[in-house]
Amino acid sequence: MNGRSQPAGRPSPAVRFIPSDIPVLTSTPARADDAVRAAGRALARLGRSHLGGHLVLMTGRDGLSDDRTAREVAVARAVEHALRRPGEHRPLTGT
C-alpha cells in the first residue's frame, strides 16, 4: 500500500469549486450528492457554512472516480483553494 486513496497510475478526481454568497450548493454533473455534501462539510469546517457555490466535477475518459474518499478529498481541496486569499499558500482554518 502506498498511502494513497487511488491505485497507482490512476489520476485523482479533478474538481473545481466556484463560491457564491447565495447559500445553495449545486454541481455539474447534476446529482453528485456525495460531492455536494462533502463541499458543505468543507465549508462548515472552514467556518464558511453561510456560503454556497457550484462544484464542477470533471470527468476523464474513464468517467468519475468510483473512489468516494478520493472524490471527497478532492472536493475539500477545491473548496479550500477557491476560498484561499490571493498570495496565501496555506489551507484556511475555521476560527
Side-chain angles (χ1 to χ4, degrees):
M1 181 173 233
N2 59 11
R4 292 191 209 170
S5 57
Q6 291 273 345
R10 187 161 187 190
S12 296
V15 180
R16 182 172 178 203
F17 181 71
I18 303 148
S20 169
D21 289 332
I22 300 169
V24 174
L25 292 168
T26 58
S27 68
T28 301
R31 305 291 301 158
D33 298 335
D34 295 353
V36 169
R37 282 190 294 272
R41 286 191 301 272
L43 287 168
R45 183 175 46 79
L46 296 169
R48 307 284 182 91
S49 58
H50 62 283
L51 296 177
H54 184 74
L55 282 170
V56 180
L57 297 121
M58 293 164 249
T59 59
R61 59 180 181 199
D62 297 331
L64 286 175
S65 171
D66 291 334
D67 187 339
R68 184 175 177 180
T69 302
R71 279 194 317 265
E72 289 183 7
V73 168
V75 167
R77 287 181 180 163
V79 170
E80 284 184 1
H81 184 269
L83 298 179
R84 189 176 296 151
R85 293 182 196 98
E88 187 174 317
H89 298 291
R90 59 179 177 77
L92 295 172
T93 57
T95 40

